[in-house]
Amino acid sequence: MSGHSKWHNIQGRKNAQDSKRGKIFQKLSRELYMAAKSGDPDPANNPSLRLVMDKARAANMPKDNIERAIKKAQGGDGESYEEVTYEGYAPGGVAILVEGLTDNKNRTASNVRVAFTRNGGNLGSTGSVSYMFNRRGYFAIDRTTTDADEDQMLEDVMDAGADDLQTADDVFEIYTDPKDFAAVRDSLLAKGYQFASAELTMVPENTTPVPADKIEQFERMIDLLEDDDDIQNVYHAGELPDED
């Protein structure tokens, strides 16, 4: 994983995300709607829907909101969203991958283009940076929530079928093949572990330090993209300096 710490990026943006909880719920509702509409509305028979529901619960989305989004998909209201992906480079030459669900591709493309061009970024063609990322299952376990040491955690992670464990003073980070995500999750939950984060994500093969004079531009660009209602995920290969 080239020493990449996804947890560092998660923590660095946590306060900003907390302040956008209503927007996060709106995006999760769209994901729930799509997962329920494209498959069985019963989560027992729809792994994709179960995954989004887990994600929604982890974000403390109210149960009523989750059920409402699923029922809306069953109602045949005619709403339709398309999956869109944009690739390019953020300030400092950092590879960036943007995923969205939209009912208006022209609007979304225009908004993404503005976020890139007004903040020193450059949009690329399809495939220009996606090869630099790998789809992975990801779990983070806050070390204050477990008595397990690194040896015990490694044993449990390997028993669960995960691929990789990274440790830091405050967190265990676990990576797995996407197809093994549910099995690894269930195994670790059965052992009593609590997840600070559990998701399918895109992990860069290598990271690029964001130049000090580009950090403000870089963060503004990421904020603009994440604020867009049509954008579900923003992945990047940038490495920001630790905040003391």
Side-chain angles (χ1 to χ4, degrees), residues 21-38:
R21 192 161 300 278
K23 188 176 289 289
I24 291 171
F25 290 169
Q26 179 181 340
K27 294 185 179 190
L28 285 168
S29 292
R30 191 172 292 192
E31 285 191 61
L32 288 162
Y33 176 91
M34 284 294 290
K37 191 161 187 174
S38 61

Side-chain angles (χ1 to χ4, degrees), residues 9 11 34 79 89 102 125 142 161 195 201:
N9 290 330
Q11 289 298 91
M34 284 294 290
E79 278 193 47
Y89 291 90
T102 181
S125 58
D142 188 326
F195 300 127
T201 187

Side-chain angles (χ1 to χ4, degrees), residues 106-149:
N106 290 334
R107 177 191 65 221
T108 309
S110 176
N111 290 347
V112 169
R113 189 176 299 110
V114 167
F116 271 81
T117 58
R118 291 188 181 175
N119 292 285
N122 295 286
L123 271 173
S125 58
T126 300
S128 58
V129 303
S130 57
Y131 71 93
M132 303 179 189
F133 294 81
N134 295 311
R135 179 72 70 181
R136 305 294 288 158
Y138 172 80
F139 303 91
I141 297 174
D142 188 326
R143 295 188 68 160
T144 64
T145 66
T146 178
D147 293 328
D149 60 16

Side-chain angles (χ1 to χ4, degrees), residues 11-22:
Q11 289 298 91
R13 307 189 62 76
K14 185 176 185 302
N15 290 339
Q17 291 299 315
D18 286 346
S19 69
K20 302 172 185 174
R21 192 161 300 278

Side-chain angles (χ1 to χ4, degrees), residues 72-92:
K72 187 176 182 181
Q74 296 173 273
D77 58 7
E79 278 193 47
S80 178
Y81 298 107
E82 293 183 74
E83 294 182 350
V84 290
T85 302
Y86 304 93
E87 304 177 37
Y89 291 90

